[in-house]
Amino acid sequence: MRLHLGCRLSFQLPSATPMILLLNVHHSRASDLERPDLLTTDPAVPIENYRDGFGNWCCRLSAPAGRFTVSTDGIIRDPGLSDLKDHAAAQVEIGKLPSEVLTFLLPSRYCETDLLSDFAWKQFGDTRAGWPRVQAVCDFVHDHVTFGYQHARATRTAAETLNEGVGVCRDYTHLAITLCRCLNIPARYCTGYVSDIGQEPPFPPMDFAAWMEVYLGGAWWVFDPRNNDIRFGRVLVARGRDAADVPLTHGFGEHRLTDFAVWIEQQDGASQT
């Protein structure tokens, strides 16, 4: 299937402000782009592109004072399959993990493994290692946390999410990642698009989503503790240790978001978000 995707973000800035933006489809899906989702700005400004330490495509620019809008719009070909699963995927012993995977076992800004280790082992130590244990983590987080945009807080950590029991998709993801790392399962944070294809209406307003990838059986697998169901049309934008590594926008100065829109829909019109 063909998916039409993109976003538009407008800011009000009191003065010129340097910014870094991670809004483009991840390079691993570049060959699927029928029409690249190039970043454009209004007013137009020079854009410098680079890859960060995790391989994400970043756009660097200086936003002028006043109203400033950034947008992307593209078409991507997608096989139309749900997230791949392998219920037999086993946990890999730490001594046998590839070196590049080890960083996703360590604590990070929003994932305090030192605070949640005892809880994780008490809660999940008796579950079967491998895929069933990760699914048990996702089931727990999905049931424990109440979703609501009114609960959004940019500084909320995994431990705070566990204690407060509320949050948005990034909070679900941070908590699940932290519990997996406590159980010696490498897990990394992902952000991108998730369509409503195959879901029952009414559809909520579209937004960028967060989920995690977990290393089992020598491969990375998608788990989505917020939705915890079958999803189609998932398109990665960026991945890192947690949300601190992959902010969609980062401004080095005062900037106020005044307009925000995200879209991903099936281009042939058979099913739309």
Side-chain angles (χ1 to χ4, degrees), residues 223-240:
F223 285 85
D224 187 342
R226 158 67 179 101
N227 294 304
N228 205 30
D229 59 9
I230 297 173
R231 291 283 163 158
F232 301 86
R234 188 184 301 275
V235 181
L236 179 68
V237 168
R239 58 165 67 102

Side-chain angles (χ1 to χ4, degrees), residues 117-193:
S117 181
D118 288 346
F119 173 85
W121 282 105
K122 289 177 182 177
Q123 185 75 25
F124 305 104
D126 292 334
T127 58
R128 186 156 61 90
W131 193 283
R133 181 168 287 174
V134 177
Q135 187 58 59
V137 167
C138 290
D139 292 343
F140 169 81
V141 173
H142 179 78
D143 294 340
H144 179 77
V145 182
T146 299
F147 181 88
Y149 287 113
Q150 71 274 20
H151 304 311
R153 188 173 75 240
T155 58
R156 182 183 285 116
T157 67
E160 291 171 337
T161 299
L162 179 64
N163 293 333
E164 297 172 17
V166 296
V168 292
C169 59
R170 62 177 266 161
D171 301 309
Y172 285 73
T173 303
H174 284 148
L175 179 54
I177 285 173
T178 305
L179 294 173
C180 284
R181 290 179 186 172
C182 289
L183 299 165
N184 299 327
I185 304 168
R188 61 191 184 188
Y189 183 94
C190 299
T191 185
Y193 300 89

